[in-house]
Amino acid sequence: MIMHRGLHILEVVELICAAADPSTLAALARTCRALQSPALTVLWETQSELTNLLSCLPSDVWETHPSLPYHHSFSFRRPIVPSDLPRLLFYAARVKNLYVQRPNSISWSIYAALSLALPEYPLLPNLRHLSWRPTEDACSHIRMLVGQKLRSIILDLDGTELVRRQILPYLAAFHPDLTDIHIYPMFSNSSATLESVYSTIRSMKYLRDLYVATVDSSTLLHLAQLPHLSHLRLNVFPQLHDDFFIRIATIGPVFCALRQLTTYSESIVSFCRLIEMIDADVLTELELGFNSTVKPQDWQALSTTIAQRFSKTINQLDIQERCSPEDEIPDRVDLMIPKEAFQPLLACGHLEGVDIQTLHGILIDNDFVKKVAEAWPRLRNLALAPMAQPAQYKPSVTLAGLVPLAEHCRYLERLIIIVDATGLDPHAREKPGGGISSESLLELYVVESPISSPAAVASFLSAIFPELCAVASREKEERNMLVQNWEEDMEKWERVRDLVHIFASARAQEHYVPRSPPP
């Protein structure tokens, strides 16, 4: 049989293989030589365990024990000899991504046997990404696994001594050209381990994506000068002193490629000082967390700094004010943040996602929501909600205040906000919102919003957001115990959810046009 001419084009075959499932790829690889290599390349490119690869050894070398614990279910019957390796190495060379997330997925003796069989040759010479959760015994065999093409590594390490003694020194010595590094767990009480992490990071000159618990000021200074660093995630932002800012001011542009920054900080002041130095032309995503109460003037300073530096580029902004679970949040309306503190952010016209969660909430009203809708027309997600709503707070945003969002934010899909859903006339004849509607909004979360008539609220929401499919309030276990009558309000919001579904079904039936039978 003559093969179709299109299958002689390698790019066409590669597209077909990229869309095929594993069983189809295996069949293609057995069909003819022209399809074998592209199919095997895709089939073996990403592996979740090493057992598939080890099963390529002769059958008399290995055996499985299904009744034993997972990490003992695969074992070797005899030592590996050079004649056993060609088939294993043929497929191993095609593996580019390896994800071994289960601890003890294979026993350390397997790694030891492979190390003896491959004394000078990495098992996976073309591996580019490794996600590994090794045991301490297996950790020493990482050099056997990977070659010089490794560029990305995710390490889930339970033992801090394991990091310091084996993995990190190896990465610093043999893979200084890594571009992506993620290290878990996030925290360590060992100063030696932390210094090993810092030293390893300072040895990397080509980093693009870094995710670690924290860094010291010297390491942060090194990161600031990297020309390709685009994603930086630190669970704890380091304490910075004046000498750091004096040093960083002398090195010229810093973080010139940074597009995404995620961190949690104790000091909003030092963080503002740092982001004032970040290149203003590239940052698109900013996610901040603060573990202490932020004063209104500090919110104002943060908003002003963000607007001045990134108004033309930022499209995703997440800011969360957190507290420890054991801390009691004061039930005081006077601690809520005035809307003026966030007014500068309205200059960031490219925002597509905004999630601002404060401990006590923001004092917003319909006028502020209208300004938000006009300033951020590209919004897809908007969340303006407190962690704990003061019991005596009566929302100033009404359901009518949501109409500008329907009018101006034509891509808004998800909204989290507290509204006053009382006072609607269940017998009103006029069309809600004056006929303005948006079919983009799918999810509405109202936190602990007061409500009177579920039918009137459902009718209003269904009119301005006809495709709305999820309406939810705060869960029982998350609710503020000080808010009066909340259980009654929660039941009403559940009724709104049910009615919205009914209205959506009725609308779909109204628009349904049956197909005419063929003549």
Side-chain angles (χ1 to χ4, degrees), residues 243-448:
D243 60 336
F244 170 83
F245 293 103
I246 293 173
R247 293 171 61 192
I248 201 171
T250 63
I251 61 177
V254 296
F255 295 108
C256 56
L258 193 64
R259 298 180 61 84
Q260 182 186 85
L261 175 61
T262 300
T263 189
Y264 297 90
S265 175
E266 295 289 343
S267 172
I268 194 172
V269 176
S270 62
F271 182 80
C272 285
R273 291 182 66 183
L274 178 65
I275 63 175
E276 286 177 354
M277 301 180 178
I278 296 177
D279 192 288
D281 295 331
V282 293
L283 191 79
T284 59
E285 298 182 28
L286 187 59
E287 181 178 343
L288 309 176
F290 299 102
N291 297 321
S292 58
T293 301
V294 180
K295 299 178 182 178
Q297 59 267 32
D298 290 337
W299 280 113
Q300 177 90 32
L302 178 63
S303 299
T304 302
T305 303
I306 293 172
Q308 289 176 346
R309 299 299 297 164
F310 315 121
S311 62
K312 296 181 180 180
T313 60
I314 191 167
N315 58 43
Q316 181 69 41
L317 178 62
D318 295 347
I319 307 177
Q320 296 185 9
E321 189 180 15
R322 296 182 171 184
C323 66
S324 301
E326 60 272 11
D327 291 344
E328 183 176 347
I329 302 176
D331 182 43
R332 292 168 52 187
V333 176
D334 62 299
L335 293 177
M336 298 182 71
I337 310 300
K339 62 183 180 181
E340 290 76 14
F342 299 95
Q343 197 84 15
L345 293 176
L346 298 180
C348 302
H350 297 275
L351 282 169
E352 298 178 8
V354 176
D355 187 345
I356 300 177
Q357 295 188 31
T358 64
L359 289 180
H360 309 284
I362 310 171
L363 290 168
I364 60 176
D365 53 21
N366 287 354
D367 180 62
F368 184 79
V369 174
K370 182 179 180 181
K371 291 180 179 179
V372 164
E374 294 172 345
W376 301 337
R378 304 184 185 187
L379 277 179
R380 294 183 179 274
N381 299 283
L382 175 62
L384 301 172
M387 287 191 62
Q389 175 183 335
Q392 302 303 318
Y393 172 63
K394 182 175 176 58
S396 297
V397 178
T398 64
L399 288 175
L402 303 183
V403 175
L405 293 174
E407 181 179 5
H408 300 286
C409 302
R410 309 303 293 181
Y411 308 103
L412 186 64
E413 299 175 354
R414 184 171 181 266
L415 175 62
I416 303 178
I417 195 170
I418 298 177
V419 296
D420 181 3
T422 63
L424 282 182
D425 182 3
H427 306 292
R429 296 295 183 183
E430 62 273 10
K431 196 167 186 178
I436 295 173
S437 66
S438 171
E439 296 184 353
S440 63
L441 191 71
L442 304 177
E443 302 175 17
L444 173 64
Y445 297 89
V446 295
V447 196
E448 293 172 346

Side-chain angles (χ1 to χ4, degrees), residues 172-235:
F174 293 96
H175 296 282
D177 51 357
L178 282 172
T179 60
D180 300 1
I181 299 179
H182 294 196
I183 298 177
Y184 307 92
M186 287 288 95
F187 299 100
S188 172
N189 294 322
S190 168
S191 59
T193 297
L194 289 175
E195 181 52 41
S196 183
V197 172
Y198 304 156
S199 177
T200 300
I201 294 172
R202 290 195 296 268
S203 70
M204 304 293 171
K205 298 181 180 180
Y206 305 100
L207 283 176
R208 296 178 183 272
D209 188 337
L210 177 65
Y211 189 8
V212 291
T214 187
V215 294
D216 60 4
S217 59
S218 297
T219 306
L220 187 63
L221 192 66
H222 168 75
L223 294 174
Q225 302 175 72
L226 294 181
H228 306 296
L229 184 67
S230 60
H231 294 72
L232 177 60
R233 282 165 281 187
L234 305 174
N235 262 33

Side-chain angles (χ1 to χ4, degrees), residues 1 10-11 15 37 96 99 121 164 167 183 200 212 229 232 264 345 354 367 381 384 397 408 433 459 462 477 493:
M1 179 181 295
L10 180 58
E11 290 81 0
L15 289 173
S37 182
K96 296 182 179 179
Y99 300 85
Y121 190 85
R164 185 170 64 87
I167 293 285
I183 298 177
T200 300
V212 291
L229 184 67
L232 177 60
Y264 297 90
L345 293 176
V354 176
D367 180 62
N381 299 283
L384 301 172
V397 178
H408 300 286
S459 177
S462 185
E477 59 272 13
W493 281 112

